[in-house]
Amino acid sequence: MVAPVIDVHPGRIADVGGATVRRLLPLRGRRTIGAWCFLDHFGPVSTSGGHAMTIGPHPHTGLHTVTWLLDGELLHTDSLGSEQRIRPGELNLMTAGHGIAHAEDSRGVASPVMHGVQLWVAQPDATRHGPSAFEHHADLPTVALDGTIGTVLVGSFAGATSPARADTPLVGVDLTLDGRVEVPLDPSFEHGLVVLTGAVTIGSTTVGADELAVVAPGIGQLVVQAATPTRLLLLGGAPFTDDLVMWWNLVARSRDEIDQARRDWEGGSPRFGEVATTLDRIPAPGA
Ligand code: MN
């Protein structure tokens, strides 16, 4: 068996609309894991005393947003007319294609704490100019491995397959572990493990909270040891070879495409549509 080389990247602090998050993708030394191209870990943070999480209407292109909560609750609204509450254990997957706008709002939610991750998946050329779409999955498959519970967000893992859309070969799994687990991997994928809470060791490498451990293709299994209760995300996919241009909430292949999308948003183009919310529309940076 080939011994895995584990490359550990610390997350960085980023500001999203006044809220502090830990960004695990993209990082200077690692832009993507498969087609996964963005990961923000937010909270746990109190939503009492006027600290509700509110993100007004903003545009996306060329990506899927994947929203996953560990605690709290959010209301998603988008320009397709979707209105969907999301709670821990449920998945929201929004496809931007040529363009969509959405908003997220925790106002009026009973839960006092917000904790979760916002992920993006880059769409391939075959679908990135296509129609937008929205999916909510309240009942994702779970697997049990040596006392570790895995919830399959996207793709297939340990014999279970998520119903969520994936436009490229991809996997995303939430793992809750305390102890040793043998994690099966697709050797054709590159993988990333993101520790959300707790810490694990893989061989002689320790991966702590808000660190990304990258595993190159060719590995069929990882032995992961948690000394304390740990929550982590396993992400993987076929290496994504397109050169992405990412700016603000837009994913494209060239600066011209980004500039056009930005002008379309600023000009109120029907490309992005209208979102039914009382929150204010977010202007593009520098506009
Ligand atoms: Mn968004």
Side-chain angles (χ1 to χ4, degrees), residues 42-90:
F42 55 89
V45 64
S46 169
T47 54
S48 61
H51 293 93
M53 181 171 166
T54 55
I55 303 171
H58 59 279
H60 286 291
T61 60
L63 60 86
H64 310 278
T65 63
V66 175
T67 307
W68 181 247
L69 297 181
L70 280 67
D71 202 351
E73 188 176 322
L74 279 173
L75 178 66
H76 162 98
T77 48
D78 65 40
S79 51
L80 292 167
S82 315
E83 183 175 319
Q84 180 65 56
R85 275 187 190 281
I86 179 171
R87 300 182 176 88
E90 304 175 349

Side-chain angles (χ1 to χ4, degrees), residues 96-120:
H98 184 57
I100 195 168
H102 75 137
E104 279 161 314
D105 194 350
S106 75
R107 293 175 302 175
V109 164
S111 174
V113 172
M114 184 64 64
H115 187 197
V117 288
Q118 178 66 66
L119 297 135
W120 298 351

